């Protein structure tokens, strides 16, 4: 390995990152590239394992502005950790195990592949040579320049020099994969997979080039590389990784089979492809100086995945789906005290890994969406393009982006100080709730903002935060749900704002509604009378209110009630109108919120009434859309059916259960002829297994082992957790720790999470986590995302003081070995505390409402 370094300040040592690498010290040579190759003598080597440094101490100081060459030989392991340079495998059609080598360097694991300066701001060009067996192929970021013969029938692929880039974006794959290419655009676009899965690459090969062309137009910057490869990797921890010119994916995030994969799987494939391609500009072309501003990468890619997907599949209404897929979910997490700002100081690999969470991704995307709305699309795109051009192949900070948006705003006549506004959203934890109180006789509305907590739990929490909030509103008189530019600003230094008749505030019989299309990142709580007016509107003609705002009203009301800021009688009364609702977004919002109450009540005497209430709400929509779909159904109708049918079976709808049982029996009778619609496979298999026995479970597990389709395997893994037989659930958890079972290491935490989502499996999963901690740690290592996912799943419905004590004891016992899971465990504890308080504050209220309203 050879590096060329430039000395910026006089120093007598060179520091490189290494991890799990043995450097052959005798081979290390340092020469001056500026002084005729003069050799620089080495005094000794030091290793700082905590900071993952190799320090080469020299006998004299290096000269500023001079270049130096350093070369060495080293030994690294092709590991199975799913990071660094690691190996993966698959079984081909003949039953033979095939191996491949692949990289995953983000955020700090290039140092596991070779000694380097492994920080995002230390960009360089790379010359890669990969030596492989002659029957395999290699891929890297750039095209192959030429191939050389090497001894033992090996080949050396010598790659073109990369553009200036960060180490974490470097990538290489060595495999026996096949590929299909799309050469219809200026960029050669290829999708690689194992040969037995090549029929599943067509959708990616359609969506990828179309997305790349769209982003070239949207950013007004040509994609800078000559090719783009996308590779499906059997063992992959994340969904995908945006390596420049060589994007790697887990199979279920790239491959789609029209016969066996669901519409939801197709949507996931599209959004992940678009997300990763957005990174080729935002993250790759311009990179944050340090991981504090990771959100600039992930927030923008998470927002652009909806914009790009909307272009590729305009009938899917992806821009609307942002509400349920990202915004509502992150509003819940960000209302915990243990949340963090999107721009968050981090200092070591564990802290860096911790911030790859939904605050970084989904809150980042949500406030970017808000910024787009208050700047306007043309100003937003102008600022974005100017910023990308100014910093291409370089690094930037969020203040750099704010400067270019502010300049674009001034040029377009709006003069918004974007840094002033956005610092209140990026540097503070949480978000506001705006409390609306009306004087109905005077026709005035008073707005007050305060920080929203899901449940204030008596800790020393500062409540002095305030935000610069773009405000939009409409009324039953104006009924304008299209203009999302701010009508005024609620600045952080305003104690309150009052609107009157001249601002369009209507008479006392008319409602007001704030946050049109929920474009801004806050909740709204009205006085009781205005809530009642909105409920009356929903019950008389819900379509008067925009579909996004119907979803917003449900989510705001249910979470405000959960936080004891709104009477649960109001929140539950609002759901009465659902018997008339047919759209996907409000139903998705409703069932997500029903899920929390379902978890809280599942082992209480109130559960029977609750389940009956949900069944009553669902009955009209289930009868309208039916169990069996039509070819003419739109994408959103298909997603709506999946949601409604799943909840119908969950609430013991006999028609739903009969369909599931019959279809599963037909499949068992003739395994080669699967009659189950792909969209409903999870529901059908789940409820057939739930009401079945070991025979039904074994059949599904056998189908999982034999399936060649990653998206189908994911569905079956989830459905297998639905059994109510405790011993089978225990067996399933053990199988998830045994990679020879066919359950991959990267999927084991998903199995655990699915078991924990089963009310019978939840205590089994919690006991398993505690009892098998050493096995789990051995499988996943000390710095892992899997534990965070497991703990969140097993604690999401813990709601007793005893359960909270068990969780605290577990965290205290293993506090020194939690790695990247520390913050997630803090959030799990806080969520459990919130659940306990919910039971103490709200159970009796909800139970009384159910007794009054459900016969």
């Amino acid at each position: 390995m050879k590096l060329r370094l430039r000395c910026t300040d006089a120093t007598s040592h060179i520091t490189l990152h290494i991890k799990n690498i043995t450097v052959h010290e005798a081979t290390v040579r340092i020469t001056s590239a500026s002084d005729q190759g003069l050799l620089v003598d080495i005094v000794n080597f030091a290793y700082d394992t905590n900071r993952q440094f190799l320090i080469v101490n020299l006998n004299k100081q290096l000269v500023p502005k001079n270049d130096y060459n350093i070369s060495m030989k080293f030994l690294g392991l092709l590991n199975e950790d799913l990071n660094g340079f690691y190996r993966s495998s698959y079984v081909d059609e003949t039953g033979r195990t095939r191996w491949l080598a692949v990289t995953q360097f983000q955020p700090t694991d290039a140092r596991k592949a070779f000694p380097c300066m492994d920080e995002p701001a230390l960009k360089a060009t790379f010359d890669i040579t990969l030596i492989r067996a002659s029957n395999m192929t290699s891929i890297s970021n750039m095209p192959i320049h030429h191939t050389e013969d090497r001894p033992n029938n090996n080949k050396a692929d010598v790659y073109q020099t990369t553009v200036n880039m960060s180490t974490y974006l470097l990538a290489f794959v060595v495999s026996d994969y096949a590929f299909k290419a799309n050469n219809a655009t200026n960029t050669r676009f290829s999708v690689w997979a194992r040969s037995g899965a090549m029929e599943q690459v067509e959708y990616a090969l359609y969506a990828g080039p179309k997305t790349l062309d769209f982003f070239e137009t949207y950013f007004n910057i040509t994609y800078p590389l000559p090719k783009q490869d996308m590779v499906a990797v059997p063992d992959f921890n994340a969904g995908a990784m945006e390596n420049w010119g060589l994007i790697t994916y887990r199979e279920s995030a790239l491959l789609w089979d029209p016969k066996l994969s669901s519409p939801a799987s197709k949507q996931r494939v599209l959004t992940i492809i678009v997300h990763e391609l957005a990174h080729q500009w935002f993250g790759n072309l311009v990179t944050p100086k340090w991981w504090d501003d990771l959100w600039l990468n992930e927030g923008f890619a998470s927002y652009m995945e909806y914009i790009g997907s909307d272009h590729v599949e305009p009938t899917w209404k992806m821009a609307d789906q942002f509400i349920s897929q990202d915004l509502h979910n992150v509003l819940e997490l960000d209302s915990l005290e243990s949340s963090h700002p999107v721009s968050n100081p981090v200092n070591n690999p564990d802290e860096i890994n911790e911030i790859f969470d939904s605050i970084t991704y989904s809150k980042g995307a949500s406030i970017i969406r808000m910024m787009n709305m208050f700047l306007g699309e043309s100003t937003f795109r102008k600022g974005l393009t100017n910023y990308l051009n100014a910093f291409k192949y370089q690094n930037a900070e969020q203040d750099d982006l704010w400067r270019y948006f502010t300049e674009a705003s001034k040029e377009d006549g709006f003069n918004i100080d974007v840094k002033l506004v956005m610092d209140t959203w990026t540097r503070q934890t949480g978000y506001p709730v705006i409390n609306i109180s009306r004087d109905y006789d005077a026709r005035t509305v008073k707005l007050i903002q305060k920080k929203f907590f899901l449940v204030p739990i008596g800790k020393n929490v500062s409540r002095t935060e305030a935000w610069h909030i773009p405000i939009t509103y409409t009324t039953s008189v104006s009924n304008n749900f299209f203009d999302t530019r701010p009508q005024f600003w609620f600045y952080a230094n305003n104690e309150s704002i009052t609107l009157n008749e001249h601002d369009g505030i209507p008479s006392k019989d008319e409602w007001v509604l704030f946050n049109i299309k929920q474009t801004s990142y806050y909740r709204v709580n009205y006085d009781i009378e205005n809530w009642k007016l909105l409920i009356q509107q929903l019950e008389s003609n819900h379509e008067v209110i925009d579909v996004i705002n119907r979803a917003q009203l449900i989510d705001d009301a249910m979470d405000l009630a959960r936080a004891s800021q709104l009477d649960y009688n109001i929140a539950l009364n609002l759901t009465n109108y659902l018997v008339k609702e047919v759209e996907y977004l409000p139903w998705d919002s409703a069932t997500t919120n029903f899920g929390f109450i379902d978890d809280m009540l599942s082992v209480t005497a109130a559960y029977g009434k609750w389940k009956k209430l949900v069944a009553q709400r669902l009955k009209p929509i289930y009868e309208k859309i039916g169990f069996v779909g039509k070819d003419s159904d739109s994408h959103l109708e298909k997603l709506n059916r999946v949601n409604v049918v799943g909840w119908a079976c969950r609430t013991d709808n006999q028609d739903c259960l009969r369909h599931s049982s019959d279809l599963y029996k037909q499949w068992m009778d003739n395994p080669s002829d699967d009659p189950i619609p792909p969209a409903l496979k999870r529901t059908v298999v789940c409820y057939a297994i739930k009401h079945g026995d070991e025979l039904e479970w074994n059949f599904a597990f056998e189908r999982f082992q034999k399936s060649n389709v990653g998206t189908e395997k994911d569905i079956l893994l989830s459905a297998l957790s639905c059994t109510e037989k405790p011993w089978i659930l225990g067996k399933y958890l053990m199988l998830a720790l045994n990679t020879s079972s066919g359950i991959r290491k990267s999927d084991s935490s998903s199995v655990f999470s699915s078991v924990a989502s089963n009310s019978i499996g939840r205590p089994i999963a919690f006991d398993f986590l505690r009892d098998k901690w050493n096995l789990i740690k051995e499988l996943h290592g000390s710095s892992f995302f899997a534990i965070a996912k497991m703990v969140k799943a097993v604690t999401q419905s813990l709601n007793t003081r005893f359960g909270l004590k068990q969780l605290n004891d577990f965290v205290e016992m293993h506090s020194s070995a939690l790695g990247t899971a520390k913050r997630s465990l803090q959030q799990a504890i806080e969520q459990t505390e919130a659940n306990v308080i919910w039971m103490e504050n709200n159970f009796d209220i909800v139970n009384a409402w159910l007794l009054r309203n459900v016969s």
Side-chain angles (χ1 to χ4, degrees):
M1 183 200 75
K2 298 178 181 178
L3 299 90
R4 173 163 289 196
L5 308 174
R6 176 159 295 164
C7 178
T8 56
D9 297 296
T11 180
S12 59
H13 62 263
I14 294 174
T15 301
L16 301 175
H17 286 104
I18 64 168
K19 183 179 181 182
N20 299 343
I21 280 177
T22 301
V23 173
H24 299 307
E25 295 177 358
T27 69
V28 180
R29 286 174 55 85
I30 300 173
T31 59
S32 172
S34 306
D35 194 8
Q36 299 180 341
L38 185 68
L39 188 67
V40 179
D41 290 335
I42 298 170
V43 176
N44 58 35
F45 299 87
Y47 297 89
D48 184 336
T49 54
N50 287 333
R51 292 188 292 176
Q52 301 172 356
F53 285 167
L54 162 66
I55 304 167
V56 186
N57 293 307
L58 311 173
N59 73 336
K60 66 177 182 180
Q61 289 201 329
L62 303 180
V63 180
K65 298 183 180 179
N66 280 13
D67 290 353
Y68 295 87
N69 296 321
I70 178 169
S71 62
M72 68 182 74
K73 293 182 179 180
F74 64 92
L75 177 67
L77 298 176
L78 196 61
N79 68 69
E80 295 184 345
D81 297 339
L82 307 185
N83 54 49
F85 192 22
Y86 71 94
R87 68 176 187 169
S88 177
S89 67
Y90 67 94
V91 177
D92 68 14
E93 298 87 337
T94 68
R96 180 182 172 188
T97 299
R98 302 279 188 171
W99 293 93
L100 60 149
V102 63
T103 56
Q104 170 59 38
F105 290 161
Q106 191 185 44
T108 58
D109 286 317
R111 65 194 68 176
K112 293 180 72 173
F114 57 95
C116 57
M117 292 185 167
D118 198 14
E119 295 182 3
L122 301 177
K123 290 192 171 186
T125 61
F126 296 87
D127 295 294
I128 301 296
T129 299
L130 295 172
I131 301 172
R132 58 175 172 81
S134 59
N135 65 333
M136 304 191 89
T137 58
S138 75
I139 330 169
S140 189
N141 304 79
M142 298 295 287
I144 293 174
H145 183 273
H146 67 275
T147 298
E148 303 170 353
D149 291 329
R150 292 292 172 93
N152 302 317
N153 199 30
N154 288 330
K155 301 286 185 181
D157 293 329
V158 182
Y159 285 85
Q160 296 177 19
T161 302
T162 71
V163 295
N164 203 44
M165 59 189 282
S166 304
T167 48
Y168 80 87
L169 294 169
L170 197 64
F172 24 93
V173 177
V174 179
S175 71
D176 62 355
Y177 273 12
F179 73 92
K180 285 187 179 180
N182 183 331
N183 298 318
T185 65
N186 293 329
T187 303
R188 179 178 170 83
F189 210 107
S190 303
V191 180
W192 299 71
R194 50 191 172 81
S195 58
M198 288 308 295
E199 292 182 355
Q200 303 170 43
V201 306
E202 295 299 334
Y203 186 67
L205 203 57
Y206 160 77
K210 192 168 184 178
T211 300
L212 202 69
D213 284 350
F214 170 73
F215 281 144
E216 285 188 323
T217 301
Y218 190 91
F219 295 125
N220 197 24
I221 297 172
T222 302
Y223 175 70
L225 302 188
K227 62 92 175 176
Q228 177 64 67
D229 291 308
M230 304 199 299
V231 185
V233 180
D235 297 284
F236 200 78
N237 233 356
M241 175 59 208
E242 66 266 19
N243 316 298
W244 213 349
L246 173 53
I247 304 173
T248 44
Y249 298 79
R250 65 166 52 205
E251 287 195 348
S252 60
L254 182 65
L255 307 180
W256 188 78
D257 186 320
K259 295 179 181 177
L260 294 172
S261 303
S262 69
S265 298
K266 188 176 186 179
Q267 179 171 304
R268 179 171 182 261
V269 166
L270 175 61
T271 56
I272 292 177
I273 288 172
V274 176
H275 180 107
E276 303 309 323
L277 288 173
H279 272 309
Q280 307 304 298
W281 285 266
F282 230 99
N284 298 10
L285 185 64
V286 180
T287 311
K289 288 183 179 178
W290 183 242
W291 298 107
D292 293 11
D293 286 328
L294 172 67
W295 82 273
L296 287 178
N297 276 11
E298 300 301 347
F300 260 94
S302 297
Y303 174 63
M304 292 309 301
E305 77 183 51
Y306 290 89
I307 304 303
S309 296
D310 219 27
H311 170 76
V312 178
E313 300 284 1
T315 64
W316 292 8
K317 298 184 179 179
M318 290 303 302
D320 289 357
Q321 287 195 60
F322 181 90
I323 302 302
S324 60
Q325 299 295 320
D326 274 78
L327 178 59
H328 289 175
N329 291 330
V330 76
L331 283 172
E332 181 175 330
L333 177 62
D334 203 24
S335 62
L336 299 178
E337 295 175 38
S338 49
S339 182
H340 63 86
V342 289
S343 184
N344 193 51
V346 289
N347 300 296
N348 59 58
D350 278 356
E351 290 180 356
I352 293 166
N353 277 304
E354 273 189 332
I355 61 170
F356 281 81
D357 63 2
S358 60
I359 297 297
T360 296
Y361 285 71
S362 297
K363 181 176 181 177
S366 297
I367 62 176
I368 290 164
R369 174 176 174 266
M370 175 177 69
M371 183 170 58
N372 186 339
M373 298 302 178
F374 71 66
L375 287 173
E377 177 73 8
S378 61
T379 302
F380 178 81
R381 288 175 64 174
K382 179 193 291 186
L384 203 55
T385 297
N386 292 343
Y387 164 81
L388 290 171
N389 276 318
F391 291 96
K392 59 186 176 184
Y393 306 112
Q394 301 175 59
N395 298 81
E397 299 172 308
Q398 70 173 24
D399 282 359
D400 297 316
L401 180 61
W402 302 157
R403 186 170 72 255
Y404 279 90
F405 277 133
T406 298
E407 289 175 3
S409 171
K410 288 179 179 178
E411 289 174 11
D412 291 348
F414 300 116
N415 202 25
I416 298 172
D417 186 336
V418 175
K419 174 177 168 54
L420 180 71
V421 172
M422 294 304 292
D423 275 359
T424 67
W425 298 97
T426 63
R427 300 192 184 280
Q428 298 185 111
T429 301
Y431 60 90
V433 54
I434 295 183
N435 289 305
I436 306 294
S437 58
R438 296 177 63 181
D439 183 326
Y440 289 87
D441 292 327
R443 293 180 68 171
T444 61
V445 170
K446 185 177 182 181
L447 291 74
I448 298 175
Q449 65 161 298
K450 67 174 183 177
K451 186 173 181 179
F452 178 76
F453 289 101
L454 191 60
V455 176
I457 49 181
K459 294 182 180 178
N460 294 322
V461 179
S462 170
R463 286 174 168 77
T464 61
E465 299 97 326
W467 290 261
H468 295 312
I469 309 170
I471 300 294
T472 58
Y473 65 97
T474 188
T475 72
S476 51
V477 177
S478 60
N479 197 28
N480 176 9
F481 285 96
F482 301 101
D483 186 1
T484 57
R485 291 295 292 266
Q487 289 153 277
F488 63 93
W489 286 83
F490 192 158
Y491 291 108
N493 59 352
N494 295 138
E495 289 188 11
S496 65
I497 290 179
T498 299
L499 306 178
N500 56 41
E501 182 178 353
H502 299 294
D503 300 304
I505 300 307
S507 63
K508 62 182 179 180
D509 296 327
E510 309 288 345
W511 49 261
V512 297
L513 185 148
F514 282 77
N515 204 1
I516 294 172
K517 290 188 180 292
Q518 205 169 7
T519 53
S520 295
Y521 192 72
Y522 61 87
R523 294 197 184 278
V524 187
N525 195 4
Y526 304 96
D527 58 50
I528 296 299
E529 186 57 36
N530 198 75
W531 275 115
K532 289 179 178 179
L533 290 170
L534 288 166
I535 291 170
Q536 288 172 17
Q537 180 65 73
L538 290 171
E539 291 181 347
S540 63
N541 184 2
H542 60 280
E543 292 181 346
V544 167
I545 296 176
D546 181 81
V547 65
I548 291 176
N549 286 106
R550 301 202 298 270
Q552 172 209 14
L553 288 170
I554 293 167
D555 193 64
D556 277 357
M558 296 298 278
D559 266 359
L560 287 163
R562 185 173 167 184
S564 298
Q565 295 184 31
L566 177 67
D567 189 335
Y568 249 115
N569 290 286
I570 294 291
L572 291 170
N573 285 342
L574 188 145
T575 69
N576 289 339
Y577 101 94
L578 286 170
V579 295
K580 299 178 182 178
E581 182 63 79
V582 297
E583 296 288 344
Y584 170 64
L585 286 181
W587 267 112
D588 192 46
S589 178
T591 52
T592 298
N593 283 283
F594 287 169
F596 169 75
I597 300 178
D598 199 87
D599 284 341
M600 292 300 96
L601 301 183
S602 61
V603 293
T604 71
Y607 190 62
K609 290 278 189 183
W610 166 253
K611 193 157 66 169
K612 190 171 183 180
L613 169 75
V614 177
Q616 290 172 355
R617 296 283 190 267
L618 287 162
K619 187 173 184 289
I621 183 69
Y622 179 81
E623 291 177 349
K624 178 179 175 61
I625 66 177
F627 189 96
V628 180
K630 303 184 293 292
D631 291 341
S632 60
D633 287 341
S634 71
H635 181 72
L636 285 181
E637 286 171 334
K638 293 173 183 175
L639 296 184
N640 203 20
R641 176 175 293 102
V642 172
N643 186 34
V644 169
V645 167
W647 271 87
C649 279
R650 184 170 177 169
T651 53
D652 297 335
N653 180 298
Q654 292 305 301
D655 181 74
C656 184
L657 295 175
R658 178 180 55 78
H659 273 293
S660 297
S661 177
D662 289 350
L663 286 168
Y664 196 73
K665 185 177 185 305
Q666 290 175 43
W667 194 24
M668 290 183 68
D669 290 343
N670 189 0
S672 63
D673 185 15
D674 181 359
I676 304 171
L680 296 178
K681 178 161 284 185
R682 201 274 174 190
T683 296
V684 168
V685 177
C686 174
Y687 287 97
I689 286 176
K690 178 179 180 179
H691 296 287
D693 212 322
E694 186 180 12
L695 183 67
E696 285 76 14
W697 194 92
N698 286 342
F699 175 78
F701 191 70
E702 181 184 340
R703 291 296 96 196
F704 160 77
Q705 291 177 311
K706 291 183 178 180
S707 176
N708 183 47
V709 179
T711 51
E712 183 186 41
K713 290 173 84 75
D714 282 358
I715 288 169
L716 291 172
L717 274 181
S718 174
L720 282 160
S721 68
C722 293
T723 179
E724 295 189 336
K725 303 292 186 294
W727 67 272
I728 295 180
L729 291 169
K731 179 179 78 170
Y732 192 28
L733 289 171
M734 284 303 299
L735 286 170
L737 296 185
N738 179 6
T739 53
S740 65
S741 69
I743 300 173
R744 295 187 179 275
K745 178 179 177 178
S746 53
D747 292 324
S748 63
S749 60
S750 296
V751 170
F752 185 93
S753 298
S754 295
V755 171
S757 68
N758 177 339
S759 59
I760 291 174
R762 196 167 297 125
I764 297 169
F766 196 12
D767 288 345
F768 187 87
L769 181 66
R770 290 178 295 173
D771 294 344
K772 307 297 182 186
W773 169 258
N774 290 333
L775 279 176
I776 294 169
K777 184 180 175 184
E778 181 181 345
L779 181 68
H780 292 287
S782 60
S783 180
F784 46 86
F785 295 107
I787 287 294
K789 185 175 183 179
M790 291 176 176
V791 171
K792 281 185 175 180
V794 82
T795 58
Q796 68 181 6
S797 59
L798 278 180
N799 59 7
T800 66
R801 294 284 176 188
F802 179 69
L804 177 59
K805 181 181 184 304
Q806 287 183 308
L807 177 59
N808 277 313
D809 290 346
F810 170 78
V811 172
E812 184 176 351
M813 182 181 299
H814 301 292
S815 59
S816 63
L818 296 174
T820 61
K822 286 181 181 177
R823 177 175 275 120
S824 292
L825 282 158
Q826 293 169 356
Q827 292 168 348
I829 289 171
E830 187 182 346
Q831 184 65 69
T832 302
E833 291 172 339
N835 291 347
V836 171
I837 291 172
W838 188 93
M839 290 296 291
E840 294 170 352
N841 291 350
N842 294 308
F843 173 78
D844 289 340
I845 297 171
V846 172
N847 187 41
W849 187 92
L850 291 169
L851 290 172
R852 288 195 309 272
N853 291 276
V854 182
S855 57

